[in-house]
Amino acid sequence: MSEAPSEARGGTRGDASGNASARPPAPPAIELTGLSYSYPDGHRALRGITLRVAAGERVAILGPNGAGKSTLCLHLNGILEATDGTVSVCGLPIAGADGRVKDIKEVRRRVGVVFQDPDDMLFMPTVEADVAFGPSNLNLPEDEVRKRVERALGAVGMEGMGERSPHHLSFGQKKRAATAAVLSMEPEVLVLDEPSSSLDPRGRREFGELLAGLDQTIVMTTHDLPYAHELCERAVILDGGRITADGPTDEILGDAGLLAAHDLELPHGFVMDHH
């Protein structure tokens, strides 16, 4: 069979006369090129990371403690700035040598980060106030802020809990409230650092079901390999600040030697049901 024309391979669609439509392909949700980062004390946490995540993908970043996973997360909406290399999200540059002006406010609207500890994100007297905080800072009309709060609380199964104090919630509820605070910004990309950490089995399952129902591009770091298997079709292993493997999650998790080489291990008795 002959190879398809280049414009067809590029994803544009021709009309009946054979003319390709002018709509360009969507930019990648995340694009890192040669990303390196050193902390002020000189510790080099990331070393030449090149990674491309397409819109709609779900990618798990796996690796042992100290691999650089959390540091990588903090580059995806400009909390940390690259020492070397370039970072762009949804076609917007965050960092790089191109000299273009960074629009951090817009980047942070498009990319929401859910931290490992929800107490780092909940600081208002009520859940509703926490969820409304971001949209209110976008200077949206009050009724639009209210709609976003209702939608976000509904998406995490916390309808009717807006008046609760975050300090009186269970850890799992706090995790959902923190996620709602990010979802109220209507981001295109959701970045989660160790999303199942410290959750009890029920909370872990419920939070996984919540994430499975979302439409956003998802990038998550995790030690929880079954969680990666359940939620992400692609996995990347990060170790020593470098990407050492990148492929379908089933293939990565099915390679016992690869996992062992990076201090990763599936739970005893875990059997993958291939997607």
Side-chain angles (χ1 to χ4, degrees):
M1 187 167 66
S2 62
E3 190 176 6
S6 60
E7 64 267 24
R9 295 199 310 273
T12 55
R13 182 176 297 174
D15 60 20
S17 63
N19 294 323
S21 66
R23 191 171 72 176
I30 302 286
E31 190 160 30
L32 313 176
T33 306
L35 169 64
S36 295
Y37 181 76
S38 297
Y39 282 98
D41 66 1
H43 171 63
R44 197 169 184 199
L46 299 176
R47 301 167 180 266
I49 301 289
T50 294
L51 178 68
R52 183 184 176 105
V53 177
E57 266 196 295
R58 293 175 171 233
V59 180
I61 310 290
L62 312 176
N65 283 329
K69 301 189 302 297
S70 294
T71 302
L72 179 61
C73 278
L74 297 177
H75 279 82
L76 300 184
N77 76 345
I79 295 172
L80 292 179
E81 294 190 27
T83 306
D84 292 297
T86 61
V87 180
S88 67
V89 297
C90 307
L92 299 172
I94 297 180
D98 52 23
R100 283 187 285 179
V101 175
K102 298 177 291 186
D103 187 349
I104 286 296
K105 190 170 182 179
E106 179 63 14
V107 164
R108 290 179 180 166
R109 187 190 70 75
R110 297 206 191 191
V111 181
V113 178
V114 180
F115 296 116
Q116 183 172 346
D117 186 348
D119 285 327
D120 292 339
M121 301 177 63
L122 302 172
F123 51 86
M124 300 293 279
T126 67
V127 170
E128 184 176 69
D130 268 315
V131 178
F133 183 82
S136 296
N137 281 329
L138 295 177
N139 298 318
L140 296 171
E142 192 174 321
D143 62 333
E144 173 62 19
V145 172
R146 191 166 57 251
K147 286 176 187 173
R148 286 191 179 210
V149 170
E150 288 173 3
R151 281 198 297 267
L153 289 175
V156 302
M158 293 188 72
E159 303 94 332
M161 298 181 69
E163 295 305 314
R164 296 276 298 275
S165 165
H167 307 297
H168 298 156
L169 300 177
S170 69
F171 187 85
Q173 289 171 329
K174 287 182 180 180
K175 200 92 166 180
R176 286 189 276 153
T179 305
V182 170
L183 292 177
S184 67
M185 296 291 283
E186 299 188 348
E188 295 172 37
V189 181
L190 199 59
V191 178
L192 302 112
D193 193 15
E194 298 288 351
S196 64
S197 175
S198 303
L199 290 173
D200 61 27
R202 179 180 172 180
R204 176 188 178 282
R205 175 182 57 77
E206 290 178 343
F207 197 64
E209 289 169 353
L210 181 168
L211 296 178
L214 297 177
D215 294 329
Q216 279 84 1
T217 303
I218 288 180
V219 176
M220 67 182 221
T221 74
T222 187
H223 286 92
D224 187 336
L225 302 190
Y227 225 48
H229 170 68
E230 290 165 26
L231 294 169
C232 299
E233 69 274 2
R234 177 181 168 198
V236 171
I237 294 182
L238 189 67
D239 199 355
R242 302 180 192 276
I243 290 178
T244 60
D246 182 347
T249 304
D250 284 356
E251 290 183 15
I252 297 283
L253 298 188
D255 188 334
L258 176 66
L259 296 182
H262 299 289
D263 297 328
L264 297 168
E265 190 174 298
L266 286 163
H268 181 68
F270 177 78
V271 178
M272 282 194 290
D273 53 330
H274 294 276
H275 298 305

